Structure formats: structure tokens, C-alpha cells
Amino acid sequence: MELNDDQKAVRDWVHGFAEGVMRPAAAEWDEREEFPWPVVQEAARIGLYSLDFYAQQFLDPTGLSIPVVLEELFWGDAGLGLAVAGTGLAAISVFTNGTKEQVGTWVPQMYGTPDDVKVAAFCSSEPDAGSDVAAMRTRAVYDAAKDEWVLNGTKAWATNGGIAHVHVVVAVVDPELGARGHASFVVPPGTPGLSQGQKFRKHGIRASHTAEVVLQDVRVPGHCLLGGKDRLDERLARARERAAQGGAPAGNDAMATFEASRPAVGAQAVGIARAAYEVALDYARTRVQFGRPIIENQGVAFQLADMRTRIDAARLLVWRASRMAAAGERFTAAEGSMSKLFAGETAKTVTMQAMQILGGNGYTRDYPVERMHRDAAIYTVFEGTSEIQRLVIARALSGMPLR
């Protein structure tokens, strides 16, 4: 797992954007708690926020390009990084569940152009159904006479929800099948009945827009069902047969999207942890107490040693899962969840240790580790809590299905 010259060049290019554009703007957008359109527009202007760029990275046969890019973006700043990368989750859903025609139609519209930047939103979680996808209440009912699907419900915690040009919505199509009775739909721009609900005021990643998405009799054409109706009918028939036979539940669109994205989320957490570690290391080398730099104190040096070890271990787990996914290898021990679990907890631990090393300075907004610690907190919560990741891993090890 060694980066080639092209990957190193992309890494350095993204790092330059993170250092030159994102870091100087990070504190301002964190305070404003607004979507940073100027930063995303600048990313689009240089080609960093574009379908072409991300498609090239996704096509990398080693699987390492995406985690390398995300680590550098989130090294710059997590809130701004998620503003730039947040559209990717909706794009992954279309890539994972859609037909080639749907990918070609909808994914370009998610990014727009450098002169007319757009974003997209993936809407799965609900006020009473986060990790418990079986508790989802948003319904999609097929109107055969018009070949339309009618969506009703409320989604919560949607990145870019309400401000997105394109929304991808996971809904229940067969309530009797629980999590097996879900499907994903593209809601085109300007569709009547879709609106933004509450915008959430968050502890961290404040530059990323997170809101409820309300769906009231939202009608979408039949071709907006990802994968098409024939494939959905076949999948539902298999699920009913398995249920009748007492078999293990089959997968669903939301879980497929999350499983594909977990190593990428781990890479984001690695970027935050690395950024905090570098601040703490530089501070420890230059901060003099009792006549010597504090890094010469074993208590500080050992913390830094642990921080660096955890960061490198987290990165290797992320790279392994990314490489396996790119090679089409099956996750036999929930390696994607392992990478997200360890990297997310590493980000929380390392940012807290960085604050401790900086002492009182680390607790102030004059230094970035306070913001990094707030940003890191979400990485043990979203896209599956640490407890859910442990459950997924344990189920994989035991051979039991995740119900």
C-alpha cells in the first residue's frame, strides 16, 4: 500500500488547497454556521469540486485515491471539508443502487459547473430512525396509472438537506418487510412538496449544512426509482421468500450506501486527528516550561507517541478497507466498519490529547484544536455510531445477520 507518483501529486495539490484556502477561512465559517459557498466555488474553479475529479479518484484500482484526498481536505478543516465532500454520499448512493443511465443523468447535476455550483443530499436518517433503519417511516407509494411514486415523511440530519439541487431519499415501499422493504429515489430539483425543515445548530462541523427534509405528497416519475421497478420487484420477491423461510434479512439501499462510504468517513477522521497531532507536536517543541521544551517531559512525549501510533494504525485500517472495496473483495470481518470505528474514536482521543498538551491555550478559540475536538465528536455518531460499528463487526465475526 504505497502511493504512486500520481497519487502523491493529487495529495500535494489537495493539501495546497486545504492549507491556502480552507485553513484561513475555517474559523470564520465555524462562527457563521453557514454553508461556505465561496470555498466550494473556489474548489470547483480549480477542478477539485467536480464530477470528473471524483470519478477519476473512484476509478483508481488501488482504492487509495479517495481516502488520500479526504484526509487532506479534513486536515484543512472538517466543516469546510464536509461542505466540499458532502455531495459524495448522494453520488455514492446513485452509483451503488442506480442504473448506468441514472448515474449519467443525475450525478452530473449534483455538482453543476464551476460557474453554477450545485450540491446534493442523501436523506436516510429520521427523527425516530437513525441507525435503526427498520424503524423508518417515510413511505413511497406507487401510482401505476401515472407511473409515479408519492413520497411522504420527514428526514433528519441530512447533509445539504433543503439547499441541495438533487435529493436522494430512502423510503419504505413494503412496510411488512422492515429494513428489507426500502428503496431509494432521486427527487429532481424544483419538485413540489419537498422543503427544508429545521436547520440544526451543531456542536461541530458547523460550516456543513445539516437540516430536516420534509416530504409532503412529493411525486417523482417512475424513472427516479434507483435501479428501476423491475429490479425492485425482484428484490422484494426474494425478500418475501426469505422471510417466509425464516432466512436472514437481505441488504437494503441505505446500508449499502453506508457500507461503501465507511472507509471514506474513516479517512476524514484521520485527517482531523493528524491536524490536531501536528498542532500539538509543534506546540510541544516550542513551548518552554521550567527551562526546557515540554516535549522533553515524558508525560507529553508519551502522549504524542500514542497519538501518532493511533493515527497511523487508523490510516492503515482505512487503506485496507478501501483497497478491498476497490478490488471487489468481500468484507468478511466488517473491515469497513472496523476502519470507521477505530478512526472515529482516534479522532476524538487525539484531539482531546492535543487540547491537554496545549493546556489552557488548547481550550481557547485562539488555537484550532478546540474546533478540531468539536468537529471530531461527530465521528463516533454519524453514519453509524461506534456501538453500531461494534455490532456490525461482532455479527460478522459470529456469522449472525445484522437485523
Side-chain angles (χ1 to χ4, degrees), residues 143-320:
D143 183 344
K146 296 182 178 180
D147 186 27
E148 292 180 339
W149 289 88
V150 184
L151 279 63
N152 282 282
T154 299
K155 294 297 182 179
W157 314 112
T159 298
N160 298 335
I163 66 170
H165 189 62
V166 176
H167 292 76
V168 177
V169 177
V170 182
V172 179
V173 294
D174 189 335
E176 294 182 0
L177 291 174
R180 296 169 289 182
H182 295 176
S184 295
F185 300 85
V186 172
V187 180
T191 300
L194 184 148
S195 62
Q196 179 183 310
Q198 173 189 5
K199 178 187 175 183
F200 295 104
R201 299 189 54 162
K202 306 188 298 294
H203 178 63
I205 55 168
R206 293 178 177 175
S208 173
H209 176 92
T210 310
E212 290 181 331
V213 174
V214 180
L215 304 132
Q216 295 180 315
D217 293 328
V218 172
R219 287 183 167 267
V220 298
H223 62 78
C224 289
L225 166 64
L226 290 182
K229 194 167 188 306
D230 289 343
R231 195 176 84 176
L232 173 64
D233 289 341
E234 291 174 5
R235 180 163 63 81
L236 293 178
R238 289 196 303 270
R240 293 187 190 102
E241 182 178 352
R242 290 167 68 93
Q245 297 174 352
N252 60 74
D253 287 1
M255 295 308 295
T257 299
F258 288 138
E259 188 62 25
S261 67
R262 276 171 180 156
V265 176
Q268 299 171 16
V270 171
I272 299 169
R274 192 185 105 215
Y277 160 76
E278 290 177 2
V279 173
L281 178 63
D282 181 67
Y283 187 88
R285 285 171 170 168
T286 57
R287 174 68 166 172
V288 175
Q289 288 284 285
F290 303 104
R292 61 179 182 176
I294 63 172
I295 197 171
E296 295 183 15
N297 297 318
Q298 192 177 80
V300 172
F302 278 15
Q303 284 195 75
L304 290 164
D306 286 343
M307 292 158 75
R308 175 60 185 267
T309 300
R310 287 186 64 103
I311 291 166
D312 282 9
R315 182 183 298 111
L316 287 171
L317 282 171
V318 167
W319 283 17
R320 180 185 69 170

Side-chain angles (χ1 to χ4, degrees), residues 65-83:
S65 291
I66 286 294
V68 165
V69 167
L70 291 174
E71 180 178 333
E72 295 306 323
L73 280 177
F74 284 72
W75 173 90
D77 179 69
L80 296 177
L82 195 55

